[in-house]
């Protein structure tokens, strides 16, 4: 990296480490009303140019240039980076590839089951088996589900992407963990110019600290956005380029996961178990996994997935997960064991019907950002990796061409989308396109399983119709008065646990003196709408205890309290909020969970 860039990175690291107390300011909040307590202080809601505390603050950013910039150090982003450098090395081309990742280290924000289908990995590294990464599965419990795990590999995805990061760095990719991409930059002609990393040194009240430092700009010929599910920059790009014009709204699920150390006598390395339904009712989509890891000690990874198109605002995905562990089939494995890790993340479940346009001038969407997950298989790592590789192969001849011809300043590479549609990703997602939406019927789970049995097992997705999803997940909740409250059993501290002790196992931490990154477009909406109509569903659908309603200091009425330091970056709130008033943005880099192989 160039010397100025290195100095900029060092300066930003110094600011991150400095926790000097904020200055006191007397400016009265102009973004809050006299009636509603102030919640949001983030500059995306309360502009700095209208805040006198920011007058005279230096706002110029250092800029650096690369051939390709990649946002997100997950399977898609790292596979794209690796493939680009493989091609550059093969053809002896000079190609600068920079990757930014908001986690403190590669893999620290990564969570998945995960049972890896190695098809894309075989293409990326034909010799990966000699490296002793993973152990194969040998068992399956999956009644009536279109999955076959023979030949797949149980992995801890955080460890897997860390390994991918090591391979990328060996090839010459520049990786910058701890730097969150906070802003999309545009050329004057509207094409994407690159990204800017987040500013640091801002106090919780939105004022600049003495150590305030602007983020840096990274410019590129092409920028790849691989932020993962429901990325906050991707949301901007959808609007900017109207990328969702010809597809259905994305539909999601939340996945919750734990890792346990169990009695060695119960350990079956390589065993894979899946279930659907219970303890959910027939009209709520969901299921579970339990994987016996093969790492030399008796570890199991288990989790529960709940579709976010559920209708009862009293449902708590976290408590459903805790209740599920008491099923005799699961309890017998866990009894006598110790829980050692917890985490959660949102998943794309829309599949084929919800795929947006993935190319635009200056950029591309890859991986779980647009949503290539095969929902019935409960697998998306292989498709994410392949999408990144296809993007790299489409980009490479363009960015290395001597006579670069482009109608826009940022390169538009439509060949990526064309190649996607010719690839096995497209065929795979098309064949299972009707399985998830088939659950939207009077019989719910049972009707969906019958449909899957007939039209997937027999016709393999060749039916001449395509079913539709129910619409936005945020629009599915019914008013609380129309629903029955769900009474959940108290956690026993042996198999089931409370929320805060669970979050503690995620290693989640944020700098406390910064504006909450869970921003509200209108601070009055949570009480006036969410609490009044839906009994405050955010305090139940959040898997980390970020949202809670507490009495006003006057004793009259309630207010929403946001415990941003608990956030595990799952994005569920942004997705499921019935008012669509919550906008998740990145906190200061390195903040969030500190997963170790989740």
């Amino acid at each position: 990296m160039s010397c100025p860039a290195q100095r900029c990175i060092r300066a930003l690291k110094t600011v991150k480490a400095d926790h000097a107390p904020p200055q006191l300011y007397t400016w009265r909040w102009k973004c809050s009303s006299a009636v509603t307590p102030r919640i949001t202080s983030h500059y995306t809601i309360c502009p700095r140019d209208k805040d006198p505390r920011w007058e005279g603050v230096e706002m110029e950013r250092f800029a650096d240039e690369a051939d390709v910039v990649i946002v997100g150090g997950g399977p898609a982003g790292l596979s794209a980076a690796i493939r680009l450098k493989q091609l550059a090395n093969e053809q002896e081309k000079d190609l600068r590839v920079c990757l930014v990742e908001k986690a403190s280290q590669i893999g620290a924000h990564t969570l998945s089951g995960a049972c890896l289908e190695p098809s894309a990995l075989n293409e990326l590294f034909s010799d990966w088996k000699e490296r002793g990464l993973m152990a194969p599965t040998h068992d399956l419990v999956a009644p009536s589900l279109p999955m076959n795990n023979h030949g797949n590999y149980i992995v801890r995805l955080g460890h897997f992407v860390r390994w991918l990061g090591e391979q990328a760095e060996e090839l010459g990719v520049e990786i910058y963990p701890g730097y969150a991409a906070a802003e999309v930059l545009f050329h004057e002609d509207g094409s994407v110019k690159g990204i800017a990393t987040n500013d640091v040194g801002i106090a919780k009240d939105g004022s600049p600290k003495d150590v305030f430092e602007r983020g840096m700009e990274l410019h590129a010929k092409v920028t790849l956005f691989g932020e993962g599910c429901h990325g906050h920059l991707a949301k901007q790009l959808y609007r900017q380029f109207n990328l969702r014009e010809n597809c259905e709204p994305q539909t999601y699920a939340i996945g919750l996961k734990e890792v346990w150390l169990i009695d060695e006598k119960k350990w079956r390395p390589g065993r894979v178990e899946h279930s659907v339904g219970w303890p959910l009712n027939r009209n709520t989509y969901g299921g579970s996994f339990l994987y016996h890891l093969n790492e030399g000690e008796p570890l199991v990874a288990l989790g529960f997935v709940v579709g976010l198109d559920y209708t009862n605002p009293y449902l708590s995905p976290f408590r459903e997960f805790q209740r599920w562990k008491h099923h005799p089939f699961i309890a017998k494995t866990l009894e006598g064991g110790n829980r050692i890790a917890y985490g959660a993340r949102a998943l794309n479940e829309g599949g084929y019907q919800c795929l947006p346009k993935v190319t635009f001038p200056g950029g591309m969407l890859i991986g779980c950002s647009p949503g290539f997950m095969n929902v019935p298989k409960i697998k998306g790592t292989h498709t994410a990796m392949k999408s990144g590789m296809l993007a790299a192969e489409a980009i490479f001849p363009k960015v290395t061409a001597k006579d670069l011809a482009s109608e826009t300043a940022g390169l538009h590479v439509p060949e990526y989308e064309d190649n996607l549609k010719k690839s096995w990703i497209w065929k795979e997602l098309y064949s299972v396109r009707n399985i998830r939406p088939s659950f939207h019927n009077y019989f719910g789970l049972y009707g969906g399983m019958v449909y899957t049995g007939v039209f997937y097992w027999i016709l393999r997705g060749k039916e001449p119709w395509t079913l539709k999803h129910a619409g936005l997940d945020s629009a599915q909740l019914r008013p609380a008065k129309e629903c029955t409250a769900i009474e959940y059993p108290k956690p026993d501290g042996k198999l089931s646990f409370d929320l805060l002790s669970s979050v503690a196992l995620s290693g989640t931490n944020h700098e406390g003196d910064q504006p909450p990154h869970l921003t509200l477009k209108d601070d009055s909406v949570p009480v006036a709408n969410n609490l009044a109509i839906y009994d405050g569903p955010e305090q139940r659908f959040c898997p980390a205890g970020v949202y809670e309603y507490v009495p006003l200091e006057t004793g009259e009425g309630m207010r929403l309290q946001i415990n941003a330091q608990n956030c595990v970056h799952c994005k569920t709130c942004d997705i499921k909020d019935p008012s669509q008033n919550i906008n998740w943005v990145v906190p200061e880099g390195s903040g969030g969970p500190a997963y170790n192989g989740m």
Side-chain angles (χ1 to χ4, degrees), residues 279-298:
L280 303 174
N281 64 31
R282 74 172 193 271
N283 293 315
T284 303
Y285 186 88
S288 72
F289 64 86
L290 196 159
Y291 302 152
H292 292 245
L293 304 178
N294 192 356
E295 299 181 357
E297 57 181 337

Side-chain angles (χ1 to χ4, degrees), residues 156 257-260 339-343 502 505-506 596 598:
R156 293 210 261 174
K257 178 182 176 180
E258 294 176 352
V259 176
W260 283 61
R339 187 178 66 149
I340 61 174
Y342 167 81
S502 300
L505 292 176
S506 69
N596 180 14
M598 288 289 277

Side-chain angles (χ1 to χ4, degrees), residues 303-361:
F304 200 78
V305 177
V306 179
L308 288 177
D309 53 359
Y310 67 82
T311 60
N312 188 339
Y314 292 110
L315 188 146
S316 165
F318 173 80
R319 291 190 174 186
E320 296 290 348
F321 176 33
Q322 299 305 308
R323 182 160 63 171
W324 166 78
K325 290 184 290 180
H326 285 273
H327 190 284
F329 192 82
I330 306 302
K332 68 181 182 181
T333 299
L334 301 180
E335 286 171 348
N338 293 306
R339 187 178 66 149
I340 61 174
Y342 167 81
R345 60 162 286 194
L347 317 170
N348 295 294
E349 287 203 335
Y352 177 83
Q353 293 91 319
C354 301
L355 290 176
K357 183 175 175 59
V358 294
T359 63
F360 42 89

